[in-house]
Amino acid sequence: QVQLVESGGGLVQTGGSLRLSCTASGRAFSWYFMAWFRQCPGKEREFVTRISRIDGSTRYADAVKGRFTVSRDNAKNTMYLQMNSLKPEDTAVYYCAAGTSPSSIKEGYAYWGEGTQVTVSS
């Protein structure tokens, strides 16, 4: 079992940057594959990026590729999401997720944080 807490959300203008953090407690952080998802009102939760527990390899949704960077620091039990060149369509609640195998769908993750709001103004 693991508990996840996101932080770092806020309001930023188009073209700006923001860094999110996901801090884990409970089982050793390095045990899990980690991912970021996001959800807008009236839409389904969608995949943003994931990072492997084995070799740190990453995958990104096409919508954020080249703009977002995911990383993890196992010693600090923390995963990060650096978001650059933000667009209004990036506005969403961003969720941290943990699972035992790599996946790009929300059903692949058993553990979730409560989310942090990111708002990108025009």
Side-chain angles (χ1 to χ4, degrees), residues 100-118:
T100 55
S101 62
S103 177
S104 296
I105 59 175
K106 61 184 185 297
E107 290 80 7
Y109 295 88
Y111 306 102
W112 296 85
E114 294 297 320
T116 185
Q117 177 71 47
V118 172

Side-chain angles (χ1 to χ4, degrees), residues 68-88:
F68 290 11
T69 303
V70 63
S71 61
R72 65 190 295 168
D73 187 336
N74 290 340
K76 297 181 179 179
N77 290 334
T78 301
M79 176 178 64
Y80 304 95
L81 181 64
Q82 179 66 47
M83 305 184 294
N84 298 324
S85 302
L86 283 162
K87 306 173 181 179

Side-chain angles (χ1 to χ4, degrees), residues 24-92:
S25 61
R27 191 166 190 173
F29 184 76
S30 61
W31 183 260
Y32 299 101
F33 294 84
M34 303 293 296
W36 289 98
F37 286 75
R38 65 187 183 185
Q39 188 168 20
C40 301
K43 297 183 66 177
E44 294 187 29
R45 193 168 300 186
E46 67 177 7
F47 171 77
V48 177
T49 184
R50 60 179 167 94
I51 184 165
S52 173
R53 71 173 182 86
I54 298 173
D55 60 4
S57 62
T58 60
R59 298 289 186 273
Y60 296 90
D62 288 344
V64 306
K65 191 174 298 182
R67 300 187 298 118
F68 290 11
T69 303
V70 63
S71 61
R72 65 190 295 168
D73 187 336
N74 290 340
K76 297 181 179 179
N77 290 334
T78 301
M79 176 178 64
Y80 304 95
L81 181 64
Q82 179 66 47
M83 305 184 294
N84 298 324
S85 302
L86 283 162
K87 306 173 181 179
E89 47 264 50
D90 294 319
T91 296

